[in-house]
Amino acid sequence: MQVLKFGGSSVANATNISRVLDIVSKAARKDRVALVCSAISGCTDALLDLARTERGGAERGVMLESLKTRHLDIIRRLFTGAEREAVSAKIEALFGKLAAAPEDEMVTFGELFSTTIIAEKLRCEGFRTKWLDSRILVIKDNTTLTYNNISTAVALEPEVEIFIAPGFIASEYDGKVTTLGRGGSDFSAALYAAATKASRLEIWTDVPGIMTANPKQVPAARTIPEMPYQAALDMASHGAKVLYAPTVQPAMEAGIAIHILNTFEPENPGTVIKAMPEAEIAEWMGVTSVEDTRQEESLLCLVSNGRINGKSACARIEDCLKKAGIRTLTCSSDGINVYASVRLAVAGEALNAIHREFFETAPATTVNLYIAGTGAVGSALTELIRESSDHIAHRSGKVLRIEGYSNKRDFAQMVRKSAPRGSIFVDVTDSEDIWREYEGLLREGLSIVSSNRRALAVPFVDYAAMHAAAQENGVFLRYETTVGSALPMLESIAAGANSSDEILSIEAVVSCTLNRILSEYTLTPCSFAQIVRKAQDEGLTESDPRIDLSGREALRKLLILAREAGVPLEEEDVEIEPVIGPEYAGLPLDEFYARLEADEPRFAALEAAADAAHQRQRFVASLEKDPEGPHGYRASIKVKNVDATHPAYRITGTENAIIIRSAYHPYPLLIQGAGEGARLAAASVLNDILR
Ligand code: ASP
Ligand code: MG
């Protein structure tokens, strides 16, 4: 079964009804049809007027006559001979009943007239038809009973090709005739569709589907090709006239797609309302308005696909209205839609301004992301992208689409084989060997954003090969997060190196773990071993804290920093004075801690010496110009005692700092700030993606 519903303007006159008959006969060749119609346009209003006039008065007579003439004219044009006589007689009889009907039932006659004429016409054209009396079948506010009635009525007539039913009208549970509310024929059609488990529900109207705005107010409005049920419901509930809001529920429950089509342009695919995977839905659906004439205000509603950042959307609305010289009276969001009110007089301009901002801007470029690593940074990143998609699109003109998010070992290979050029591969793993995929990815035209410092602290030849691959393929390799998390350290060094400023020295205090351990050792009475264990318990160290204490992480960071400065530093070029000596290696963790505790007098003595000299111990990775050293620099990683004049003296906890001295700058460049946390790292990765 297919249910086709035609509105008042589709059946307004004989010409339009002929179009309807064409559409219906075509559909009937494919499958059985249930045809639901409104009254001819203006008829319902006329009937309501009629009911308000004085019974037996002259005015009532005139009104009845004019309405009857409209219907008889249609019959005269659609039928000939005996058929014309027969149908006219039927309509005359109905008008007789209307004249005698109680005032509150008069409004129900419009749909009786229209469907009687159309049913007769289809029968004359040779279809096996059956007129269904919605006043008996459709029980207001009782879908179970309604569905039962309709399905039984249809089952009784297996031969019928086209059922014709009046929309809008129904009865109360006690049998009294009633209506489903103004515009209710759409709802009738949805009830017929759900009751007959129809394969499709078509609502035929006089506009090409649901549009991004009312085209009468916003000339640039365009058809929304597909939308989910909820968005259609939201648009209908907040002022879109094209669909009667209650229609959505029965169709949604029965999983029936609703097609909104234009009788006057039947080839136009219009709008399909259906269940949709979120990924396939445009972020913004449309903008509607409802007038509040009492308050002299218009309530605008910007309907989304169901997950938005309300705050940034409100800011965007207020912004674009302000640019149009319109004051936003109120703006709020329920996380799905955004509601703004403006003065009634400027409603049209406001609708156009919002439409321009959200629906007419150049389509944002879509950037496909393939994220390797589902740990803390990966999940913070995916969350960040999801919650700020609107903000990101607004600020950068880019729509980020997470096409892949995986922890699988072979993910990078899969991405290399299948991802389109121009995509970005994001490495937020701490994999030792994923870097071996980098060059291949770059050569396939994918850019890479990485927070994985292991992947950059590889032998210099491999590092250089990655950069060459990026350059030759017009893609980028960015990894600001690998040192000092979100602090712009690499960027600042590269800026200097690119403008041929010569780096004289870099001092980097970039080991969160050691900064934290050393500063806490100064400030608390705990032993060094206790503080290390506490840091481990808090997840601040590697699973084996010796990796941190050995300076291994700091070494990787120093390699990355130096190379950014143009110095092809290798691991073996760096002098490391680890916090603990080689005698700690290979011990079980328990024994390691016991030994560390036993070593407390040594740690205490170092601390006391620093303190006596008004200095503090800081774990510093440094690179200094030295004609004797490899590549003209000396690189070291060690605990340094710094005095109060040194910028690193003041940092505490997991704070990071870097001090860069260069030939052209009379004062050192100091960058200092938070260096730890998944959210921060994710923000920094995102910045590299968008930069
Ligand atoms: N004829 C009714 C009305 O004008 C129902 C409909 O058209 O949907 O409200
Ligand atoms: Mg309607």
Side-chain angles (χ1 to χ4, degrees):
M1 182 75 77
Q2 339 161 47
V3 176
L4 275 64
K5 180 262 167 180
F6 290 87
S9 52
S10 300
V11 295
N13 53 47
T15 318
N16 295 0
I17 292 177
S18 307
R19 293 173 177 277
V20 172
L21 296 169
D22 275 351
I23 294 167
V24 174
S25 354
K26 238 191 226 158
R29 267 179 245 134
K30 289 187 228 138
D31 191 6
R32 306 172 90 194
V33 171
L35 172 61
V36 177
C37 294
S38 295
I40 67 173
S41 65
C43 181
T44 305
D45 288 334
L47 291 168
L48 287 169
D49 282 348
L50 185 74
R52 281 190 287 263
T53 59
E54 191 196 337
R55 192 169 276 272
E59 199 187 347
R60 182 172 276 201
V62 173
M63 289 168 88
L64 268 171
E65 266 325 295
S66 110
L67 204 50
K68 197 200 288 183
T69 310
R70 267 190 78 192
H71 285 92
L72 292 178
D73 273 350
I74 291 175
I75 294 169
R76 214 174 352 265
R77 303 216 13 221
L78 289 180
F79 300 88
T80 52
E83 284 157 0
R84 184 188 284 171
E85 297 308 312
V87 183
S88 301
K90 276 193 159 189
I91 292 299
E92 295 269 11
L94 276 174
F95 268 91
K97 284 192 183 162
L98 167 63
E103 268 67 28
D104 61 349
E105 284 181 20
M106 288 185 159
V107 70
T108 65
F109 277 76
E111 273 72 9
L112 299 180
F113 301 143
S114 65
T115 54
T116 300
I117 297 172
I118 291 168
E120 287 298 325
K121 182 66 188 172
L122 285 166
R123 193 179 54 78
C124 291
E125 294 204 340
F127 289 102
R128 288 189 296 278
T129 59
K130 169 87 188 168
W131 186 84
L132 297 176
D133 192 343
S134 302
R135 292 170 300 185
I136 294 169
L137 302 180
V138 180
I139 312 301
K140 195 169 183 173
D141 301 327
N142 192 331
T143 42
T144 315
L145 201 50
T146 302
Y147 292 171
N148 246 322
N149 291 345
I150 294 173
S151 58
T152 310
V154 167
L156 282 174
E157 307 282 352
E159 299 297 313
V160 165
E161 294 163 295
I162 303 176
F163 293 94
I164 298 103
F168 184 51
I169 59 177
S171 60
E172 306 279 1
Y173 191 73
D174 63 9
K176 184 167 173 29
V177 177
T178 185
T179 74
L180 300 177
R182 291 309 304 267
S185 294
D186 294 347
F187 184 41
S188 309
L191 294 173
Y192 276 96
T196 58
K197 303 198 166 53
S199 59
R200 55 196 275 141
L201 168 58
E202 297 179 356
I203 307 276
W204 290 83
T205 174
D206 55 6
V207 288
I210 299 185
M211 304 183 77
T212 48
N214 181 349
K216 290 190 187 115
Q217 291 165 296
V218 180
R222 53 187 159 68
T223 300
I224 305 166
E226 294 189 334
M227 64 196 307
Y229 292 108
Q230 185 60 47
L233 179 57
D234 287 348
M235 286 199 60
S237 315
H238 295 103
K241 300 238 167 50
V242 47
L243 184 68
Y244 185 52
T247 313
V248 177
Q249 188 74 20
M252 180 162 72
E253 278 169 9
I256 302 169
I258 309 174
H259 297 255
I260 312 289
L261 297 159
N262 184 357
T263 306
F264 306 95
E265 203 192 330
E267 303 306 322
N268 189 318
T271 300
V272 189
I273 303 165
K274 59 178 187 180
M276 287 173 77
E278 281 192 13
E280 289 173 17
I281 312 167
E283 175 158 36
W284 298 109
M285 305 267 57
V287 59
T288 59
S289 67
V290 182
E291 286 185 2
D292 181 344
T293 35
R294 212 168 38 88
Q295 298 278 345
E296 288 278 302
E297 281 175 23
S298 178
L299 185 64
L300 315 177
C301 176
L302 177 65
V303 175
S304 91
N305 70 6
R307 47 188 171 89
I308 54 152
N309 179 334
K311 234 169 89 186
S312 78
C314 272
R316 199 172 155 194
I317 286 188
E318 284 172 17
D319 232 45
C320 79
L321 289 181
K322 198 165 158 194
K323 269 188 223 140
I326 296 168
R327 194 159 62 92
T328 310
L329 301 175
T330 61
C331 193
S332 65
S333 168
D334 54 10
I336 300 173
N337 304 316
V338 193
Y339 308 90
S341 62
V342 296
R343 277 188 310 113
L344 198 54
V346 293
E349 277 169 73
L351 280 168
N352 277 284
I354 293 175
H355 194 270
R356 262 196 309 280
E357 171 68 23
F358 287 84
F359 300 97
E360 295 166 49
T361 42
T365 34
T366 302
V367 178
N368 295 330
L369 302 180
Y370 295 84
I371 302 173
T374 55
V377 180
S379 52
L381 178 63
T382 49
E383 200 174 306
L384 189 60
I385 290 173
R386 254 193 285 277
E387 72 192 27
S388 10
S389 59
D390 186 46
H391 180 77
I392 293 169
H394 184 47
R395 300 260 313 188
S396 70
K398 287 177 189 158
V399 172
L400 301 183
R401 198 157 61 198
I402 301 173
E403 285 287 332
Y405 176 44
S406 169
N407 224 3
K408 292 213 191 80
R409 279 197 69 83
D410 61 350
F411 181 61
Q413 285 159 36
M414 281 164 43
V415 171
R416 174 164 53 80
K417 287 189 198 121
S418 61
R421 302 183 79 80
S423 305
I424 301 180
F425 180 78
V426 181
D427 176 7
V428 287
T429 69
D430 55 7
S431 157
E432 290 271 7
D433 49 20
I434 195 168
W435 67 271
R436 294 184 190 281
E437 296 296 330
Y438 276 21
E439 204 184 319
L441 287 162
L442 295 163
R443 295 217 177 274
E444 284 302 318
L446 277 87
S447 291
I448 297 177
V449 170
S450 180
S451 67
N452 176 8
R453 71 184 64 92
R454 286 180 165 89
L456 279 306
V458 292
F460 186 77
V461 272
D462 297 312
Y463 169 95
M466 293 178 202
H467 278 278
Q471 196 152 38
E472 284 160 23
N473 292 281
V475 292
F476 59 78
L477 167 61
R478 294 175 187 152
Y479 41 88
E480 182 63 74
T481 320
T482 56
V483 188
S485 192
L487 298 174
M489 294 185 175
L490 301 182
E491 206 182 317
S492 308
I493 292 175
N498 292 345
S499 59
S500 61
D501 191 1
E502 191 190 16
I503 300 286
L504 301 178
S505 77
I506 293 174
E507 281 182 280
V509 185
V510 285
S511 170
C512 292
T513 320
L514 277 157
N515 294 352
R516 166 67 186 275
I517 290 169
L518 290 171
S519 68
E520 211 167 310
Y521 191 50
T522 311
L523 299 169
T524 67
C526 301
S527 74
F528 196 77
Q530 283 168 333
I531 284 168
V532 173
R533 194 189 283 278
K534 189 168 154 246
Q536 185 184 7
D537 290 347
E538 285 173 21
L540 260 171
T541 67
E542 302 282 317
S543 53
D544 184 340
R546 276 167 291 191
I547 299 176
D548 299 281
L549 296 174
S550 71
R552 182 95 217 136
E553 283 297 293
L555 172 62
R556 294 192 177 111
K557 291 174 186 171
L558 183 58
L559 290 185
I560 296 171
L561 286 168
R563 290 170 181 182
E564 213 62 20
V567 182
L569 204 67
E570 299 280 10
E571 282 188 21
E572 53 274 19
D573 300 331
V574 183
E575 299 160 28
I576 306 183
E577 277 176 36
V579 177
I580 52 169
E583 68 276 15
Y584 282 87
L587 299 177
L589 215 56
D590 276 3
E591 285 177 40
F592 155 74
Y593 273 115
R595 183 163 209 151
L596 204 60
E597 195 59 70
D599 230 0
E600 177 60 18
R602 186 170 70 86
F603 293 116
L606 290 169
E607 175 65 21
D611 199 46
H614 303 291
Q615 290 178 325
R616 282 183 186 161
Q617 301 191 81
R618 293 289 178 253
F619 196 63
V620 185
S622 59
L623 183 77
E624 267 165 277
K625 242 187 120 49
D626 178 356
E628 311 281 279
H631 324 290
Y633 283 86
R634 220 168 67 93
S636 69
I637 293 176
K638 62 180 169 209
V639 176
K640 274 192 193 169
N641 287 354
V642 300
D643 62 28
T645 62
H646 195 282
Y649 182 89
R650 290 180 305 271
I651 67 170
T652 58
T654 58
E655 220 177 336
N656 278 200
I658 191 168
I659 301 126
I660 305 165
R661 293 183 177 83
S662 68
Y664 294 143
H665 288 78
Y667 300 103
L669 171 64
L670 170 67
I671 301 166
Q672 178 189 341
E676 211 262 337
R679 171 83 190 195
L680 209 61
S684 170
V685 168
L686 182 59
N687 189 45
D688 269 353
I689 291 171
L690 296 172
R691 191 142 58 90

